[in-house]
Amino acid sequence: MASDLDTVRVLRALFNDMPRAPQGLSPEQTMAWVQQSMTDYAGGDMAYMLEHVTRSSMLDIVLRLREDGYLKNDAAFTETVDLLSTPAGRKTFMDRCIQAQKSADATSRLIHRAKRSWTDPLPLFSSDPGTLERFVRGELSGPGPLYAEYQAREDVREVGVLAQAPDGIHEFSWGFVVEDQGAWVFYLADVWRRGTVGCFDRFLSAWQQMTLADHATAAPAAPAREDQDHNAHDGSSAQALAGLPPVPNGLVMEDGIATFSSLSLLAAGPMNRPELRRWIGEVFIDRMLPTMAARVVDADYDFPLLAGVSAH
């Protein structure tokens, strides 16, 4: 196991430049000092919390590697501790972690492809038609039991997301949608119960897979050799995707990192345009999102490589 000294060394390296309360303050003074530091932090209190959570995650990774990974080597551990003491070093360390995860994911995909036949999972959920119609009309439901479940999570409270209920909430049987400042932010119960953080990259792949399928239908290109085997099992899904109306102009998808969600759809113009709301409700929520979510949470699902999209 990592020793107490190891833990202290990593903590000091990671948090050496984070604000620290002066000694001798009362508990009330300390709390006031911390709150003021969060407010004064570059980017505000949300940036402070995200930075704190990120560095805490690095602490967990380093201590785990110290216990049973390559950092059992004292020289490698010391080098990593020194690396973590600067912003550039922390970025380098996180880049290494991301690349290692991508390599592990690629290896896992190859193993899954070799050991079994690929099948497309069934849609993860469906939406009540009446709830969909109310969403299209812009009628808010307000927070419900799934919103309360999500807000009660320890990681959500730690990050400070949704500390106050937003004005624009549509709750469905599968989760809820927050509508605010030109964006629809999607929170799916089956996703957050599995660990939202691990799904950011997979939701991006699922969106690209679905939206680029439309472009491929209009201007077909020869698939890469790796895709040919995958698509051989995906004929029915490809036919279903070919009939989807195209994504409205000015609508883009962003991963849910900033909002601690599954994903966000950002509109370039007013959100109350009937045709835009109809597409998001009747196409994205009703037809695209259930299949996207099913592929994301299925650990055995291997997203195909698409032309013009970097591999994950």
Side-chain angles (χ1 to χ4, degrees):
M1 291 182 61
S3 68
D4 291 342
L5 178 59
D6 292 336
T7 303
V8 170
R9 289 177 64 188
V10 180
L11 280 170
R12 286 178 174 173
L14 281 170
F15 293 97
N16 70 88
D17 56 353
M18 290 289 282
R20 285 179 290 182
Q23 294 183 352
L25 298 180
S26 67
E28 294 79 8
Q29 291 172 325
T30 300
M31 180 61 69
W33 187 94
V34 170
Q35 291 176 340
Q36 187 61 48
S37 297
M38 294 172 63
T39 301
D40 295 341
Y41 192 79
D45 55 355
M46 178 61 73
Y48 179 95
M49 292 301 299
L50 289 175
E51 183 67 19
H52 200 281
V53 169
T54 299
R55 297 194 195 192
S56 297
S57 298
M58 284 190 267
L59 173 67
D60 292 339
I61 293 170
V62 171
L63 293 181
R64 176 61 62 86
L65 292 174
R66 180 61 167 165
E67 291 179 1
D68 54 19
Y70 77 97
L71 294 185
K72 288 193 292 185
N73 179 282
D74 290 340
F77 178 68
T78 298
E79 179 185 356
T80 298
V81 171
D82 292 340
L83 189 69
L84 295 174
S85 64
T86 65
R90 288 190 289 273
K91 183 179 185 304
T92 298
F93 179 77
M94 289 306 296
D95 287 344
R96 291 176 183 175
C97 292
I98 292 170
Q99 291 303 318
Q101 184 62 51
K102 288 182 177 180
S103 297
D105 290 344
T107 301
S108 177
R109 288 198 298 268
L110 290 174
I111 292 173
H112 287 312
R113 181 177 289 114
K115 72 182 182 181
R116 66 175 184 79
S117 297
W118 182 90
T119 55
D120 201 359
L122 294 173
L124 190 62
F125 55 81
S126 60
S127 299
D128 173 70
T131 307
L132 269 177
E133 290 176 5
R134 287 189 290 274
F135 174 88
V136 172
R137 292 195 300 266
E139 298 175 5
L140 301 170
S141 67
L146 290 179
Y147 175 89
E149 175 189 326
Y150 179 80
Q151 191 185 40
R153 290 177 59 90
E154 181 178 356
D155 53 355
V156 173
R157 294 199 306 271
E158 183 177 0
V159 174
V161 177
L162 303 179
Q164 294 182 341
D167 293 332
I169 297 179
H170 304 270
E171 181 147 327
F172 292 81
S173 60
W174 44 262
F176 60 93
V177 183
V178 172
E179 184 174 329
D180 183 49
Q181 298 181 358
W184 290 272
V185 187
F186 294 82
Y187 296 85
L188 279 67
D190 279 306
V191 174
W192 77 60
R193 290 166 184 165
R194 287 171 167 84
T196 300
V197 173
C199 296
F200 295 142
D201 193 59
R202 290 180 64 81
F203 264 112
L204 180 60
S205 295
W207 170 263
Q208 291 169 337
Q209 180 186 21
M210 284 213 159
T211 56
L212 291 183
D214 291 333
H215 297 298
T217 302
R225 182 169 183 173
E226 183 180 0
D227 295 338
Q228 291 175 345
D229 175 67
H230 185 100
N231 290 337
H233 302 279
D234 198 22
S236 59
S237 295
Q239 292 175 2
L241 293 179
L244 288 175
V247 178
N249 291 333
L251 187 70
V252 296
M253 178 267 196
E254 285 193 356
D255 60 43
I257 294 176
T259 51
F260 216 53
S261 64
S262 296
L263 61 92
S264 299
L265 291 180
L266 279 66
M271 299 177 68
N272 57 358
R273 288 171 287 165
E275 68 280 4
L276 177 61
R277 299 193 67 90
R278 186 174 301 109
W279 187 91
I280 292 176
E282 298 177 359
V283 178
F284 181 73
I285 294 178
D286 193 38
R287 299 174 61 185
M288 292 175 62
L289 188 58
T291 296
M292 288 172 58
R295 293 170 177 174
V296 166
V297 301
D298 184 351
D300 292 330
Y301 187 86
D302 177 15
F303 288 100
L305 297 178
L306 299 173
V309 180
S310 58
H312 296 283

